[in-house]
Amino acid sequence: MAASIIDGKAVAARVRAEVATEVERFVAEFGRAPGLATILVGDDPASAVYVNGKQKASAEVGIQGFDHRLPADASEDEVIALIERLNADDDVSGILCQLPVPDHMDGVKLTGLIDPYKDVDGLTPLSAGYLALGREGLRPSTPEGVMILLDEAGAQLEGAEAVVIGRSNLFGKPMAQLLLKSNATVTTCHSRTRDLPGVCRRADVLIAAVGRARMVKADWVKPGAIVIDVGTNRLEDGLSGDVAFDEVSDVASAITPVPGGVGPMTIACLLRNTVKAARLAAHSGATV
Ligand code: NAP
């Protein structure tokens, strides 16, 4: 069986077009655009590429960008002062602190200082708590993007066996929560999981977010499963996911490619969150 390819680029383009329309509506209503502030500390080239991409994508849909860059030797107090300033700035609807931050800073602490109503990365304790409680809120962009791709692939999540490999705060945990909210039976795997291939073979929906190139092989996959590859591994021959794409494509019913699968959805959902946060702020008394 040749799996159908889930085209993340095309779906992300659609989401971005919807966001652009939402931004136009917002501007017509409130006379200003939603604003996204990014904070980049240090000179990690990969982080700079991510932040540049987020700022560029924001501008393309009409979101106002506030691009803050601090040197690698900036103090944690300087970053805290910046976050506090952005929290108080009405032109800033969403704040994103690009991780990782330099070693002398605590990324979890810094993220936690972002106003939860501006938490477009969905990583503050309040956002994580609302998700765990099954309440509305700002969700982390990558798992939110995966849910859209699953819908696109026609996944019937109710009662389905879903397996997530990876338990990071950024992706694995919120992904499992979103699947649970959709009534899937969810198993989360990690580096101590016994018989990982055997657990994966149970999955109707298999999601890999590990950071190990081509780890998931064809014989880990149940015939007809939907496979979502979140991994981004930079190899000498280019970007690779966590799934051995060529062989798994022969077994799965649908699969995301790397690049062009989950990656484009992350930025699209970040933009969507920014407009959502702007609307929340514009309606006083609204709660996430
Ligand atoms: P992370 O924080 O490093 O988490 C990796 C997870 O994989 C951990 O839970 C770890 O288990 C688990 N793991 C490691 N080795 C394993 C093994 N041999 N067997 C089973 N599980 C194993 O990474 P992350 O931030 O979640 O990201 C994961 C991957 O997704 C990376 O490649 C990252 O670049 C990519 N990513 C892509 C996007 C995107 O927009 N496309 C967004 C986010 C992440 P333990 O908890 O036991 O250590």
Side-chain angles (χ1 to χ4, degrees):
M1 184 198 313
S4 63
I5 309 299
I6 306 169
D7 186 348
K9 255 167 118 174
V11 181
R14 204 177 63 215
V15 172
R16 281 153 77 143
E18 286 163 11
V19 172
T21 306
E22 275 299 307
V23 170
E24 273 175 27
R25 270 197 211 121
F26 187 91
V27 173
E29 241 175 281
F30 299 101
R32 62 182 168 83
L36 174 65
T38 51
I39 302 172
L40 175 61
V41 189
D43 39 27
D44 176 53
S47 293
V49 168
Y50 290 141
V51 169
N52 292 344
K54 288 166 187 176
Q55 284 294 343
K56 183 168 171 281
S58 299
E60 282 167 5
V61 295
I63 289 174
Q64 193 181 356
F66 302 94
D67 187 353
H68 294 274
R69 308 211 173 195
L70 287 88
D73 62 356
S75 70
E76 197 175 64
D77 283 346
E78 283 175 76
V79 184
I80 292 171
L82 174 58
I83 291 174
E84 286 171 350
R85 227 174 49 236
L86 297 172
N87 281 343
D89 185 342
D90 288 342
D91 287 335
V92 173
S93 323
I95 304 170
L96 177 156
C97 182
Q98 185 69 38
L99 299 176
V101 287
D103 286 346
H104 64 284
M105 296 181 191
D106 180 346
V108 174
K109 174 181 155 191
L110 290 172
T111 307
L113 295 173
I114 292 171
D115 179 341
Y117 295 93
K118 298 188 178 189
D119 175 25
V120 284
D121 253 350
L123 294 176
T124 61
L126 191 74
S127 300
Y130 276 158
L131 177 56
L133 294 172
R135 285 186 52 181
E136 280 303 306
L138 292 163
R139 311 297 196 211
S141 306
T142 308
E144 184 92 320
V146 169
M147 291 304 286
I148 296 173
L149 292 181
L150 286 174
D151 188 50
E152 186 72 18
Q156 302 294 318
L157 292 176
E158 179 140 342
E161 289 270 359
V163 172
V164 182
I165 321 176
R167 57 172 164 180
S168 66
N169 292 332
L170 185 72
F171 181 79
K173 284 180 194 160
M175 186 72 252
Q177 301 276 8
L178 287 172
L179 291 163
L180 199 56
K181 197 165 190 297
S182 293
N183 297 319
T185 301
V186 186
T187 305
T188 302
C189 301
H190 45 79
S191 63
R192 319 288 164 84
T193 297
R194 278 190 221 127
D195 186 20
L196 184 61
V199 178
C200 290
R201 267 193 296 273
R202 296 207 307 255
D204 302 306
V205 171
L206 178 60
I207 301 175
V210 182
R212 291 171 83 98
R214 300 173 191 137
M215 184 180 85
V216 176
K217 309 289 185 210
D219 62 359
W220 294 29
V221 177
K222 178 172 161 177
I226 296 176
V227 178
I228 305 286
D229 191 352
V230 184
T232 41
N233 307 288
R234 276 165 222 288
L235 306 180
E236 271 177 12
D237 57 343
L239 207 61
S240 160
D242 291 341
V243 176
F245 181 86
D246 291 341
E247 56 180 271
V248 171
S249 296
D250 288 337
V251 183
S253 64
I255 186 168
T256 56
V258 177
V262 174
M265 294 304 293
T266 299
I267 291 187
C269 289
L270 171 72
L271 303 177
R272 212 166 73 144
N273 270 351
T274 304
V275 179
K276 184 173 176 180
R279 286 231 164 252
L280 287 170
H283 295 102
S284 59
T287 54
V288 282

PDB file of all heavy atoms in Angstrom, residues 142 165-168 170-172 189-192 196 209-212 215 230-233 242 262-263 266, ligand 1:
ATOM      1  N   THR A 142       2.696  23.344  17.820  1.00  0.00           N
ATOM      2  CA  THR A 142       3.012  22.128  17.045  1.00  0.00           C
ATOM      3  C   THR A 142       1.952  21.037  17.257  1.00  0.00           C
ATOM      4  O   THR A 142       1.417  20.503  16.268  1.00  0.00           O
ATOM      5  CB  THR A 142       4.434  21.625  17.360  1.00  0.00           C
ATOM      6  OG1 THR A 142       5.350  22.713  17.196  1.00  0.00           O
ATOM      7  CG2 THR A 142       4.844  20.512  16.429  1.00  0.00           C
ATOM      8  N   ILE A 165       5.357   9.093  20.631  1.00  0.00           N
ATOM      9  CA  ILE A 165       6.716   8.824  21.125  1.00  0.00           C
ATOM     10  C   ILE A 165       7.336  10.174  21.473  1.00  0.00           C
ATOM     11  O   ILE A 165       7.511  11.021  20.594  1.00  0.00           O
ATOM     12  CB  ILE A 165       7.607   8.100  20.094  1.00  0.00           C
ATOM     13  CG1 ILE A 165       6.818   7.041  19.316  1.00  0.00           C
ATOM     14  CG2 ILE A 165       8.802   7.470  20.789  1.00  0.00           C
ATOM     15  CD1 ILE A 165       7.638   6.362  18.222  1.00  0.00           C
ATOM     16  N   GLY A 166       7.639  10.376  22.745  1.00  0.00           N
ATOM     17  CA  GLY A 166       8.171  11.648  23.243  1.00  0.00           C
ATOM     18  C   GLY A 166       7.231  12.223  24.291  1.00  0.00           C
ATOM     19  O   GLY A 166       6.009  12.159  24.136  1.00  0.00           O
ATOM     20  N   ARG A 167       7.834  12.762  25.373  1.00  0.00           N
ATOM     21  CA  ARG A 167       7.007  13.293  26.466  1.00  0.00           C
ATOM     22  C   ARG A 167       7.482  14.694  26.881  1.00  0.00           C
ATOM     23  O   ARG A 167       7.454  15.048  28.061  1.00  0.00           O
ATOM     24  CB  ARG A 167       7.053  12.353  27.662  1.00  0.00           C
ATOM     25  CG  ARG A 167       8.458  12.086  28.174  1.00  0.00           C
ATOM     26  CD  ARG A 167       8.472  11.306  29.466  1.00  0.00           C
ATOM     27  NE  ARG A 167       9.786  10.745  29.719  1.00  0.00           N
ATOM     28  CZ  ARG A 167      10.093  10.020  30.782  1.00  0.00           C
ATOM     29  NH1 ARG A 167       9.177   9.758  31.682  1.00  0.00           N
ATOM     30  NH2 ARG A 167      11.315   9.540  30.947  1.00  0.00           N
ATOM     31  N   SER A 168       7.964  15.472  25.909  1.00  0.00           N
ATOM     32  CA  SER A 168       8.434  16.821  26.256  1.00  0.00           C
ATOM     33  C   SER A 168       7.249  17.723  26.603  1.00  0.00           C
ATOM     34  O   SER A 168       6.111  17.484  26.178  1.00  0.00           O
ATOM     35  CB  SER A 168       9.204  17.425  25.083  1.00  0.00           C
ATOM     36  OG  SER A 168       8.335  17.649  23.992  1.00  0.00           O
ATOM     37  N   LEU A 170       7.030  20.669  25.552  1.00  0.00           N
ATOM     38  CA  LEU A 170       6.768  21.430  24.332  1.00  0.00           C
ATOM     39  C   LEU A 170       5.839  20.685  23.389  1.00  0.00           C
ATOM     40  O   LEU A 170       4.984  21.273  22.745  1.00  0.00           O
ATOM     41  CB  LEU A 170       8.110  21.687  23.628  1.00  0.00           C
ATOM     42  CG  LEU A 170       8.102  22.572  22.396  1.00  0.00           C
ATOM     43  CD1 LEU A 170       7.875  24.009  22.794  1.00  0.00           C
ATOM     44  CD2 LEU A 170       9.437  22.442  21.659  1.00  0.00           C
ATOM     45  N   PHE A 171       6.024  19.372  23.296  1.00  0.00           N
ATOM     46  CA  PHE A 171       5.219  18.643  22.306  1.00  0.00           C
ATOM     47  C   PHE A 171       4.493  17.403  22.857  1.00  0.00           C
ATOM     48  O   PHE A 171       3.268  17.317  22.774  1.00  0.00           O
ATOM     49  CB  PHE A 171       6.066  18.228  21.095  1.00  0.00           C
ATOM     50  CG  PHE A 171       5.222  17.520  20.093  1.00  0.00           C
ATOM     51  CD1 PHE A 171       4.407  18.241  19.237  1.00  0.00           C
ATOM     52  CD2 PHE A 171       5.166  16.136  20.056  1.00  0.00           C
ATOM     53  CE1 PHE A 171       3.558  17.587  18.354  1.00  0.00           C
ATOM     54  CE2 PHE A 171       4.326  15.479  19.181  1.00  0.00           C
ATOM     55  CZ  PHE A 171       3.521  16.209  18.323  1.00  0.00           C
ATOM     56  N   GLY A 172       5.265  16.432  23.385  1.00  0.00           N
ATOM     57  CA  GLY A 172       4.677  15.120  23.698  1.00  0.00           C
ATOM     58  C   GLY A 172       3.507  15.193  24.669  1.00  0.00           C
ATOM     59  O   GLY A 172       2.436  14.608  24.427  1.00  0.00           O
ATOM     60  N   CYS A 189       5.040   7.250  24.926  1.00  0.00           N
ATOM     61  CA  CYS A 189       6.289   6.487  25.046  1.00  0.00           C
ATOM     62  C   CYS A 189       7.460   7.433  25.249  1.00  0.00           C
ATOM     63  O   CYS A 189       7.390   8.616  24.906  1.00  0.00           O
ATOM     64  CB  CYS A 189       6.541   5.675  23.783  1.00  0.00           C
ATOM     65  SG  CYS A 189       5.237   4.510  23.417  1.00  0.00           S
ATOM     66  N   HIS A 190       8.550   6.902  25.784  1.00  0.00           N
ATOM     67  CA  HIS A 190       9.748   7.719  26.047  1.00  0.00           C
ATOM     68  C   HIS A 190      10.955   6.799  26.079  1.00  0.00           C
ATOM     69  O   HIS A 190      10.847   5.618  25.716  1.00  0.00           O
ATOM     70  CB  HIS A 190       9.569   8.497  27.360  1.00  0.00           C
ATOM     71  CG  HIS A 190       9.016   7.670  28.457  1.00  0.00           C
ATOM     72  ND1 HIS A 190       9.792   6.796  29.163  1.00  0.00           N
ATOM     73  CD2 HIS A 190       7.743   7.541  28.915  1.00  0.00           C
ATOM     74  CE1 HIS A 190       9.027   6.170  30.042  1.00  0.00           C
ATOM     75  NE2 HIS A 190       7.784   6.600  29.920  1.00  0.00           N
ATOM     76  N   SER A 191      12.084   7.318  26.538  1.00  0.00           N
ATOM     77  CA  SER A 191      13.328   6.550  26.412  1.00  0.00           C
ATOM     78  C   SER A 191      13.347   5.304  27.299  1.00  0.00           C
ATOM     79  O   SER A 191      14.162   4.416  27.092  1.00  0.00           O
ATOM     80  CB  SER A 191      14.526   7.439  26.756  1.00  0.00           C
ATOM     81  OG  SER A 191      14.460   7.851  28.094  1.00  0.00           O
ATOM     82  N   ARG A 192      12.462   5.216  28.279  1.00  0.00           N
ATOM     83  CA  ARG A 192      12.446   4.028  29.145  1.00  0.00           C
ATOM     84  C   ARG A 192      11.334   3.049  28.771  1.00  0.00           C
ATOM     85  O   ARG A 192      11.123   2.054  29.462  1.00  0.00           O
ATOM     86  CB  ARG A 192      12.247   4.423  30.621  1.00  0.00           C
ATOM     87  CG  ARG A 192      13.004   5.637  31.070  1.00  0.00           C
ATOM     88  CD  ARG A 192      14.498   5.362  31.184  1.00  0.00           C
ATOM     89  NE  ARG A 192      15.228   6.641  31.238  1.00  0.00           N
ATOM     90  CZ  ARG A 192      15.413   7.356  32.332  1.00  0.00           C
ATOM     91  NH1 ARG A 192      14.972   6.920  33.471  1.00  0.00           N
ATOM     92  NH2 ARG A 192      16.057   8.502  32.281  1.00  0.00           N
ATOM     93  N   LEU A 196       9.356  -0.709  22.581  1.00  0.00           N
ATOM     94  CA  LEU A 196       8.792   0.425  21.838  1.00  0.00           C
ATOM     95  C   LEU A 196       8.171  -0.003  20.502  1.00  0.00           C
ATOM     96  O   LEU A 196       7.034   0.390  20.201  1.00  0.00           O
ATOM     97  CB  LEU A 196       9.881   1.490  21.633  1.00  0.00           C
ATOM     98  CG  LEU A 196       9.459   2.779  20.953  1.00  0.00           C
ATOM     99  CD1 LEU A 196       8.385   3.519  21.738  1.00  0.00           C
ATOM    100  CD2 LEU A 196      10.674   3.680  20.750  1.00  0.00           C
ATOM    101  N   ALA A 209       8.024  12.108  17.989  1.00  0.00           N
ATOM    102  CA  ALA A 209       8.682  13.393  18.302  1.00  0.00           C
ATOM    103  C   ALA A 209       9.836  13.103  19.246  1.00  0.00           C
ATOM    104  O   ALA A 209       9.765  13.299  20.450  1.00  0.00           O
ATOM    105  CB  ALA A 209       7.697  14.366  18.939  1.00  0.00           C
ATOM    106  N   VAL A 210      10.916  12.593  18.674  1.00  0.00           N
ATOM    107  CA  VAL A 210      12.038  12.095  19.460  1.00  0.00           C
ATOM    108  C   VAL A 210      13.314  12.890  19.204  1.00  0.00           C
ATOM    109  O   VAL A 210      14.031  13.289  20.125  1.00  0.00           O
ATOM    110  CB  VAL A 210      12.288  10.594  19.135  1.00  0.00           C
ATOM    111  CG1 VAL A 210      13.427  10.046  19.983  1.00  0.00           C
ATOM    112  CG2 VAL A 210      11.026   9.784  19.370  1.00  0.00           C
ATOM    113  N   GLY A 211      13.605  13.107  17.911  1.00  0.00           N
ATOM    114  CA  GLY A 211      14.873  13.733  17.554  1.00  0.00           C
ATOM    115  C   GLY A 211      15.925  12.689  17.219  1.00  0.00           C
ATOM    116  O   GLY A 211      17.110  12.908  17.442  1.00  0.00           O
ATOM    117  N   ARG A 212      15.488  11.531  16.688  1.00  0.00           N
ATOM    118  CA  ARG A 212      16.415  10.478  16.228  1.00  0.00           C
ATOM    119  C   ARG A 212      16.026  10.101  14.804  1.00  0.00           C
ATOM    120  O   ARG A 212      14.948   9.536  14.584  1.00  0.00           O
ATOM    121  CB  ARG A 212      16.325   9.249  17.139  1.00  0.00           C
ATOM    122  CG  ARG A 212      16.883   9.516  18.530  1.00  0.00           C
ATOM    123  CD  ARG A 212      16.560   8.346  19.428  1.00  0.00           C
ATOM    124  NE  ARG A 212      17.509   7.276  19.268  1.00  0.00           N
ATOM    125  CZ  ARG A 212      18.545   7.069  20.083  1.00  0.00           C
ATOM    126  NH1 ARG A 212      18.718   7.850  21.118  1.00  0.00           N
ATOM    127  NH2 ARG A 212      19.370   6.081  19.886  1.00  0.00           N
ATOM    128  N   MET A 215      14.147   6.641  13.055  1.00  0.00           N
ATOM    129  CA  MET A 215      14.080   5.610  14.093  1.00  0.00           C
ATOM    130  C   MET A 215      12.891   4.655  13.887  1.00  0.00           C
ATOM    131  O   MET A 215      12.993   3.453  14.124  1.00  0.00           O
ATOM    132  CB  MET A 215      13.970   6.283  15.463  1.00  0.00           C
ATOM    133  CG  MET A 215      13.987   5.320  16.615  1.00  0.00           C
ATOM    134  SD  MET A 215      13.840   6.162  18.212  1.00  0.00           S
ATOM    135  CE  MET A 215      12.087   6.320  18.338  1.00  0.00           C
ATOM    136  N   VAL A 230       7.135  14.310  13.598  1.00  0.00           N
ATOM    137  CA  VAL A 230       7.419  15.659  14.115  1.00  0.00           C
ATOM    138  C   VAL A 230       8.926  15.935  14.096  1.00  0.00           C
ATOM    139  O   VAL A 230       9.362  17.077  14.100  1.00  0.00           O
ATOM    140  CB  VAL A 230       6.857  15.798  15.558  1.00  0.00           C
ATOM    141  CG1 VAL A 230       7.051  17.209  16.093  1.00  0.00           C
ATOM    142  CG2 VAL A 230       5.373  15.443  15.584  1.00  0.00           C
ATOM    143  N   GLY A 231       9.718  14.894  14.067  1.00  0.00           N
ATOM    144  CA  GLY A 231      11.171  15.034  14.196  1.00  0.00           C
ATOM    145  C   GLY A 231      11.785  15.911  13.116  1.00  0.00           C
ATOM    146  O   GLY A 231      11.370  15.875  11.957  1.00  0.00           O
ATOM    147  N   THR A 232      12.750  16.703  13.532  1.00  0.00           N
ATOM    148  CA  THR A 232      13.538  17.454  12.549  1.00  0.00           C
ATOM    149  C   THR A 232      15.005  17.223  12.889  1.00  0.00           C
ATOM    150  O   THR A 232      15.490  17.722  13.899  1.00  0.00           O
ATOM    151  CB  THR A 232      13.236  18.966  12.586  1.00  0.00           C
ATOM    152  OG1 THR A 232      13.107  19.389  13.939  1.00  0.00           O
ATOM    153  CG2 THR A 232      11.959  19.316  11.867  1.00  0.00           C
ATOM    154  N   ASN A 233      15.650  16.415  12.092  1.00  0.00           N
ATOM    155  CA  ASN A 233      17.052  16.063  12.323  1.00  0.00           C
ATOM    156  C   ASN A 233      17.872  16.534  11.131  1.00  0.00           C
ATOM    157  O   ASN A 233      17.564  16.187   9.990  1.00  0.00           O
ATOM    158  CB  ASN A 233      17.181  14.541  12.469  1.00  0.00           C
ATOM    159  CG  ASN A 233      16.219  13.999  13.515  1.00  0.00           C
ATOM    160  OD1 ASN A 233      16.408  14.195  14.704  1.00  0.00           O
ATOM    161  ND2 ASN A 233      15.146  13.314  13.081  1.00  0.00           N
ATOM    162  N   ASP A 242      11.864  11.570  12.162  1.00  0.00           N
ATOM    163  CA  ASP A 242      12.115  10.430  13.048  1.00  0.00           C
ATOM    164  C   ASP A 242      11.610   9.123  12.439  1.00  0.00           C
ATOM    165  O   ASP A 242      11.777   8.056  13.027  1.00  0.00           O
ATOM    166  CB  ASP A 242      11.407  10.647  14.393  1.00  0.00           C
ATOM    167  CG  ASP A 242      12.038  11.763  15.202  1.00  0.00           C
ATOM    168  OD1 ASP A 242      13.195  12.120  14.924  1.00  0.00           O
ATOM    169  OD2 ASP A 242      11.375  12.276  16.121  1.00  0.00           O
ATOM    170  N   VAL A 262       4.758  18.576   9.358  1.00  0.00           N
ATOM    171  CA  VAL A 262       4.373  19.260  10.598  1.00  0.00           C
ATOM    172  C   VAL A 262       4.979  20.664  10.697  1.00  0.00           C
ATOM    173  O   VAL A 262       4.339  21.599  11.181  1.00  0.00           O
ATOM    174  CB  VAL A 262       4.795  18.406  11.820  1.00  0.00           C
ATOM    175  CG1 VAL A 262       4.546  19.143  13.123  1.00  0.00           C
ATOM    176  CG2 VAL A 262       4.055  17.072  11.803  1.00  0.00           C
ATOM    177  N   GLY A 263       6.226  20.811  10.228  1.00  0.00           N
ATOM    178  CA  GLY A 263       6.956  22.075  10.393  1.00  0.00           C
ATOM    179  C   GLY A 263       6.151  23.320   9.998  1.00  0.00           C
ATOM    180  O   GLY A 263       5.995  24.238  10.812  1.00  0.00           O
ATOM    181  N   THR A 266       3.450  24.587  12.458  1.00  0.00           N
ATOM    182  CA  THR A 266       3.812  25.223  13.725  1.00  0.00           C
ATOM    183  C   THR A 266       3.680  26.746  13.624  1.00  0.00           C
ATOM    184  O   THR A 266       3.055  27.387  14.473  1.00  0.00           O
ATOM    185  CB  THR A 266       5.257  24.820  14.117  1.00  0.00           C
ATOM    186  OG1 THR A 266       5.284  23.412  14.283  1.00  0.00           O
ATOM    187  CG2 THR A 266       5.693  25.487  15.401  1.00  0.00           C
TER     188      THR A 266
HETATM  189  P1  NAP B   1      12.909  16.507  23.547  1.00  0.00           P
HETATM  190  O1  NAP B   1      12.492  17.485  24.561  1.00  0.00           O
HETATM  191  O2  NAP B   1      14.351  16.203  23.340  1.00  0.00           O
HETATM  192  O3  NAP B   1      12.122  15.145  23.815  1.00  0.00           O
HETATM  193  C1  NAP B   1      12.437  13.967  23.153  1.00  0.00           C
HETATM  194  C2  NAP B   1      11.612  12.839  23.701  1.00  0.00           C
HETATM  195  O4  NAP B   1      11.981  11.644  23.013  1.00  0.00           O
HETATM  196  C3  NAP B   1      11.822  12.592  25.204  1.00  0.00           C
HETATM  197  O5  NAP B   1      10.591  12.390  25.841  1.00  0.00           O
HETATM  198  C4  NAP B   1      12.682  11.327  25.221  1.00  0.00           C
HETATM  199  O6  NAP B   1      12.421  10.476  26.330  1.00  0.00           O
HETATM  200  C5  NAP B   1      12.209  10.626  23.975  1.00  0.00           C
HETATM  201  N1  NAP B   1      13.231   9.701  23.493  1.00  0.00           N
HETATM  202  C6  NAP B   1      14.553   9.940  23.297  1.00  0.00           C
HETATM  203  N2  NAP B   1      15.165   8.824  22.844  1.00  0.00           N
HETATM  204  C7  NAP B   1      14.224   7.872  22.771  1.00  0.00           C
HETATM  205  C8  NAP B   1      14.230   6.509  22.390  1.00  0.00           C
HETATM  206  N3  NAP B   1      15.344   5.906  21.974  1.00  0.00           N
HETATM  207  N4  NAP B   1      13.076   5.822  22.432  1.00  0.00           N
HETATM  208  C9  NAP B   1      11.932   6.423  22.832  1.00  0.00           C
HETATM  209  N5  NAP B   1      11.853   7.710  23.200  1.00  0.00           N
HETATM  210  C10 NAP B   1      12.987   8.425  23.168  1.00  0.00           C
HETATM  211  O7  NAP B   1      12.401  16.935  22.098  1.00  0.00           O
HETATM  212  P2  NAP B   1      11.087  17.743  21.592  1.00  0.00           P
HETATM  213  O8  NAP B   1      11.281  19.183  21.850  1.00  0.00           O
HETATM  214  O9  NAP B   1       9.840  17.090  22.026  1.00  0.00           O
HETATM  215  O10 NAP B   1      11.277  17.498  20.028  1.00  0.00           O
HETATM  216  C11 NAP B   1      11.322  16.201  19.478  1.00  0.00           C
HETATM  217  C12 NAP B   1      11.628  16.298  17.995  1.00  0.00           C
HETATM  218  O11 NAP B   1      10.613  17.049  17.365  1.00  0.00           O
HETATM  219  C13 NAP B   1      12.939  17.035  17.669  1.00  0.00           C
HETATM  220  O12 NAP B   1      13.500  16.477  16.508  1.00  0.00           O
HETATM  221  C14 NAP B   1      12.487  18.445  17.381  1.00  0.00           C
HETATM  222  O13 NAP B   1      13.361  19.140  16.524  1.00  0.00           O
HETATM  223  C15 NAP B   1      11.161  18.178  16.713  1.00  0.00           C
HETATM  224  N6  NAP B   1      10.199  19.285  16.811  1.00  0.00           N
HETATM  225  C16 NAP B   1       9.743  19.804  15.648  1.00  0.00           C
HETATM  226  C17 NAP B   1       8.826  20.838  15.681  1.00  0.00           C
HETATM  227  C18 NAP B   1       8.312  21.374  14.404  1.00  0.00           C
HETATM  228  O14 NAP B   1       7.778  22.461  14.367  1.00  0.00           O
HETATM  229  N7  NAP B   1       8.421  20.623  13.324  1.00  0.00           N
HETATM  230  C19 NAP B   1       8.384  21.355  16.900  1.00  0.00           C
HETATM  231  C20 NAP B   1       8.844  20.769  18.085  1.00  0.00           C
HETATM  232  C21 NAP B   1       9.754  19.729  18.020  1.00  0.00           C
HETATM  233  P3  NAP B   1      12.793  10.906  27.860  1.00  0.00           P
HETATM  234  O15 NAP B   1      11.723  11.888  28.266  1.00  0.00           O
HETATM  235  O16 NAP B   1      12.724   9.636  28.607  1.00  0.00           O
HETATM  236  O17 NAP B   1      14.155  11.517  27.795  1.00  0.00           O
END
